[in-house]
Amino acid sequence: ADQLIERLQIEGKNSPADLLITVDAGRLHRAKEKGLLQAIDAEKLKSNIPGRLRDPEGFWFGLTKRARIIVYSRERVNPEQLSTYEALADERWKGKILVRSSGNIYNQSLLASIIVANGKVASREWAKGLVANLARNPKGNDRDQVKAIAAGIGDAALVNSYYVGRMMNSGDAAEKTAAEKVGVFFPNQEGRGTHINVSGAGVTANAKHKENAIKLLEFLSSVEVQEQFASANYEYPVNPKAKNSALLDSWGAFKADNINLTALGVNNSDAVKIFDEVGWK
């Protein structure tokens, strides 16, 4: 995605792109701030996509949702020990937490959401506490955190929900085996709810086929396509009329954090600064 944003900047008015499709509201906000997207006022998109899952000014629109969940070892962790993101900074988890790099946008957006909920001072303390509880230095992608739990390196990890779905349905036997060894937990259910993010899209500032770009967004946000789209990538549909896949339903319903996802982009720079200050590599 960062390469696509850079390409749009370089190409400027000569860009052949009509849509930027990528993951994470933080990245979409970044593209908006750089002047790479244009505002769209389409009633169908407003009807299909809840307000908190799209830019308030119409610069980008969520297409599927993912939750930043806690996965845990079925062998070594009782899910009753789990509660919130914040609780993972407790000393009881020392040497047991796994997570990917702070350079990853998913972790930056999670911390941005915690900043919205708790403020910068408390968020810094949380990040500092989590670093102190790491089983190893941050490395790999979300799949690697699940594999590390299966290998006994750590007991709990922060991952995006769709990675578990992909691993459970993987053609790689080792990935399926690793996924079977972890449980899925949605944190902060007694409070603000689990942090969610989106894959989404925006019409480019120099789109040559603006009307068709809008039609594609409307098509992707329709109930029928949402159900196919979400089932294919193991994410949650953004259209509230669309049904989840059977796998996601098997994990149960959960309360989601209801902040407007624009806040993830607005607070991104503070999140990156905190990660640097606490030594989250």
Side-chain angles (χ1 to χ4, degrees):
D2 293 332
Q3 290 175 322
L4 294 177
I5 289 173
E6 184 179 0
R7 179 179 171 183
L8 284 173
Q9 285 182 285
I10 293 170
E11 291 175 342
K13 292 182 179 179
N14 296 317
S15 176
D18 297 310
L19 279 176
L20 172 66
I21 304 177
T22 186
V23 296
D24 200 278
R27 276 205 183 103
L28 290 161
H29 180 79
R30 190 179 304 166
K32 172 189 173 182
E33 291 294 290
K34 290 179 180 292
L36 302 176
L37 304 177
Q38 62 175 287
I40 298 301
D41 186 12
E43 289 304 317
K44 189 174 291 187
L45 291 175
K46 292 178 182 178
S47 174
N48 289 346
I49 304 169
R52 62 191 175 88
L53 303 179
R54 50 182 164 86
D55 179 68
E57 298 175 301
F59 281 87
W60 56 262
F61 301 85
L63 295 175
T64 55
K65 293 186 297 186
R66 68 276 301 275
R68 194 80 175 146
I69 58 173
I70 299 172
V71 294
Y72 61 92
S73 168
R74 293 184 182 273
E75 297 175 351
R76 300 182 299 277
V77 176
N78 182 334
E80 292 183 0
Q81 297 174 276
L82 299 166
S83 57
T84 64
Y85 298 110
E86 289 83 350
L88 294 180
D90 293 347
E91 287 188 2
R92 67 185 293 180
W93 295 103
K94 192 170 184 66
K96 297 180 179 181
I97 302 299
L98 294 155
V99 73
R100 66 196 292 173
S101 165
S102 65
N104 177 258
I105 191 71
Y106 305 149
N107 285 335
Q108 292 172 12
S109 289
L110 171 61
L111 183 53
S113 75
I114 293 175
I115 290 171
V116 173
N118 302 329
K120 286 186 280 189
V121 174
S123 297
R124 186 183 186 280
E125 288 304 305
W126 172 78
K128 182 180 178 181
L130 198 76
V131 169
N133 287 344
L134 293 179
R136 65 179 183 186
N137 286 333
K139 61 184 292 187
N141 59 27
D142 282 7
R143 283 188 180 92
D144 293 320
Q145 313 316 314
V146 175
K147 292 175 184 176
I149 290 177
I153 296 172
D155 288 354
L158 292 167
V159 306
N160 280 354
S161 52
Y162 63 87
Y163 279 104
V164 180
R166 289 179 181 180
M167 292 180 75
M168 291 176 68
N169 291 275
S170 174
D172 184 325
E175 283 198 352
K176 290 187 72 172
T177 299
E180 290 168 358
K181 291 184 177 181
V182 302
V184 168
F185 185 83
F186 295 95
N188 295 75
Q189 291 303 284
E190 299 301 318
R192 67 181 179 277
T194 298
H195 167 64
I196 61 166
N197 211 317
V198 292
S199 58
V203 178
T204 61
N206 298 295
K208 307 296 191 298
H209 311 95
K210 178 179 175 180
E211 290 184 7
N212 280 343
I214 295 172
K215 286 180 181 178
L216 178 55
L217 285 176
E218 291 173 341
F219 172 75
L220 291 174
S221 65
S222 66
V223 172
E224 180 183 1
V225 179
Q226 278 280 292
E227 292 178 354
Q228 295 180 31
F229 194 12
S231 293
N233 62 12
Y234 305 105
E235 294 196 75
Y236 294 88
V238 295
N239 189 321
K241 296 178 183 178
K243 296 178 181 178
N244 295 332
S245 67
L247 172 62
L248 299 188
D249 277 339
S250 73
W251 294 342
F254 71 96
K255 177 183 177 182
D257 191 348
N258 65 2
I259 63 169
N260 188 290
L261 296 189
T262 300
L264 306 183
V266 171
N267 291 281
N268 178 268
S269 59
D270 285 332
V272 172
K273 183 179 180 181
I274 287 172
F275 280 143
D276 287 343
E277 289 174 349
V278 303
W280 187 322
K281 298 179 181 179

